[in-house]
């Protein structure tokens, strides 16, 4: 067994997220995960939602660890990981759903825009885009811990930071993706569900 990359946060949040995904994802179809990182989410969700085929993806530097986890732990409904930098070429595929966790706040705003643009292109009509993480509401932090987290992100890289739900909603509309539901989850996080409008 190769040592696999591991995230405590992924372990903590996977069950609450799965509870929402059971409600909003189709029973069958193909799901693209953007920023699969350690692979903990995709392996767990794929086992719990066997009717879906999952396409994990991430930037080149994360593919080795991600691929190792998939090889060791994933079932047959998880495809081999592909390289995806949201600012570059996207796969010429179409998906019934797109999922991404804890990416919007570590991306620059230009990268967030690129993620929404690409998602709008690969998502089938009526498909859903599920985006998990901490978010601001009406320009305000939802907790002191999120404010502290945002400060630490911006100290690391001024382009990072917790995004406003309203800004993401407006961005989605530019790419025919409408925010249809917001699910509050533990630790001051949320799962935002967008839908590709006909």
């Amino acid at each position: 067994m190769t040592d696999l990359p591991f995230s405590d946060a992924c372990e903590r949040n996977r069950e609450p997220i799965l509870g929402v995904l059971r409600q909003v994802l189709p029973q069958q179809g193909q799901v693209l995960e953007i920023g699969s990182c350690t692979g903990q989410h995709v392996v767990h969700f794929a086992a719990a939602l066997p009717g879906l085929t999952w396409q994990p993806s991430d930037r080149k530097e994360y593919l080795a660890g991600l691929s190792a986890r998939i090889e060791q732990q994933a079932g047959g409904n998880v495809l081999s990981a592909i390289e995806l930098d949201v600012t570059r070429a996207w796969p010429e595929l179409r998906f019934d759903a797109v999922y991404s966790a804890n990416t919007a706040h570590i991306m620059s705003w230009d990268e967030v825009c690129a993620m929404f643009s690409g998602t709008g292109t690969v998502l089938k009509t009526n498909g859903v885009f599920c985006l998990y993480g901490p978010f601001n509401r009406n320009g305000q932090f939802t907790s002191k811990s999120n404010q502290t987290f945002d400060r630490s992100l911006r100290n690391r890289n001024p382009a990072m930071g917790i995004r406003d739900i309203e800004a993401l909603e407006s961005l989605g509309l530019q790419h025919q993706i409408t925010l249809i539901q917001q699910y509050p989850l533990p630790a001051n996080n949320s799962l935002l569900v967008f839908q590709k409008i006909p």
Side-chain angles (χ1 to χ4, degrees), residues 24 98 116-117 119-121 123-131 165-183 191-198:
V24 301
V98 175
F116 272 75
S117 175
T119 295
T121 299
L123 194 59
K124 294 179 182 178
T125 299
N126 295 320
V128 293
F129 173 33
C130 300
L131 184 63
I165 291 175
E166 293 75 20
L168 296 174
E169 182 176 18
S170 177
L171 179 59
L173 290 174
Q174 296 175 36
H175 302 287
Q176 292 73 54
I177 312 171
T178 301
L179 180 62
I180 59 170
Q181 190 61 268
Q182 303 175 33
Y183 293 86
L191 197 146
L192 308 181
V193 181
F194 299 79
Q195 187 169 36
K196 178 75 173 287
I197 57 178

Side-chain angles (χ1 to χ4, degrees), residues 32 57-58 82-93 114 118 121-122:
L32 170 67
S57 72
D58 215 317
I82 60 172
E83 182 179 352
L84 177 58
D85 179 330
V86 295
T87 65
R88 298 180 182 175
W90 282 60
E92 293 185 6
L93 301 168
T121 299
V122 302

